[in-house]
Amino acid sequence: MTQPPAPQPAGVAGEPPLSQPFYGASFGQAFSRFWKKYATFTGRASRSEFWWWYLANVIVVGVLYALTAILGFSGATIDATTGTTVPGPLFVVGSSLLGLWGLAVLIPSLALAWRRLHDTNRSGGFWFLGLIPFVGWIILLVFYVSDSNPQGARFDV
């Protein structure tokens, strides 16, 4: 009589479960995990998960900005009185898409940043340092690029 195989942890073969950070995640894996952990503020996020997502976000925002500019300039007119350019009617479409994307990624981006801070063994509340004018974002950038700290496992569920 043989024993059934031991159950595998949740996740795709070779990937850690969603409750664990994925060190060495690829671009696609990081993008997928970002959406799967939409509003999860507990646990940790590896540097690769964090930075691959931000690269993906920069690409999407860049494309949406370009689309907005293209749509805005097609059909644009110049106001004869003031000399200012009035964007075309499709500018609203591009702006709406950009706004919807921003709303869609607001909470999960905050959650990802929170988890990244956990991976460096810092409370997610350190995110509020980013609100300090001029230096806050620099402090956060240093935290985000820091090595993972094994003691950050205390934030795992």
Side-chain angles (χ1 to χ4, degrees), residues 5 10 12 33 51 79 92-93 105 113 118 124 128-129 147 149 155:
V12 180
R33 284 174 73 88
W51 291 112
D79 186 347
V92 174
V93 173
V105 300
H118 286 174
F128 292 105
L129 289 174
D147 286 335
N149 185 333
F155 294 103

Side-chain angles (χ1 to χ4, degrees), residues 79-93:
D79 186 347
T81 310
T82 61
T84 60
T85 303
V86 177
L90 293 178
F91 178 76
V92 174
V93 173

Side-chain angles (χ1 to χ4, degrees), residues 10-27:
V12 180
E15 285 187 24
L18 288 175
S19 62
Q20 297 297 313
F22 190 170
Y23 299 105
S26 69
F27 182 86

Side-chain angles (χ1 to χ4, degrees), residues 2 21 42 45 88 115 135-136:
T2 61
T42 58
R115 291 192 313 269
V135 298

Side-chain angles (χ1 to χ4, degrees), residues 19-113:
S19 62
Q20 297 297 313
F22 190 170
Y23 299 105
S26 69
F27 182 86
Q29 291 165 327
F31 190 84
S32 173
R33 284 174 73 88
F34 174 81
W35 294 109
K36 288 178 184 174
K37 296 174 85 169
Y38 191 83
T40 304
F41 285 80
T42 58
R44 297 174 288 155
S46 68
R47 276 193 289 195
S48 58
E49 287 179 78
F50 183 82
W51 291 112
W52 279 128
W53 161 251
Y54 273 92
L55 175 63
N57 191 40
V58 165
I59 290 169
V60 170
V61 168
V63 167
L64 289 174
Y65 266 119
L67 179 67
T68 301
I70 291 167
L71 292 176
F73 285 123
S74 65
T77 59
I78 297 176
D79 186 347
T81 310
T82 61
T84 60
T85 303
V86 177
L90 293 178
F91 178 76
V92 174
V93 173
S95 298
S96 298
L97 290 174
L98 193 56
L100 287 173
W101 177 258
L103 287 175
V105 300
L106 178 66
I107 297 299
S109 293
L110 177 59
L112 179 64

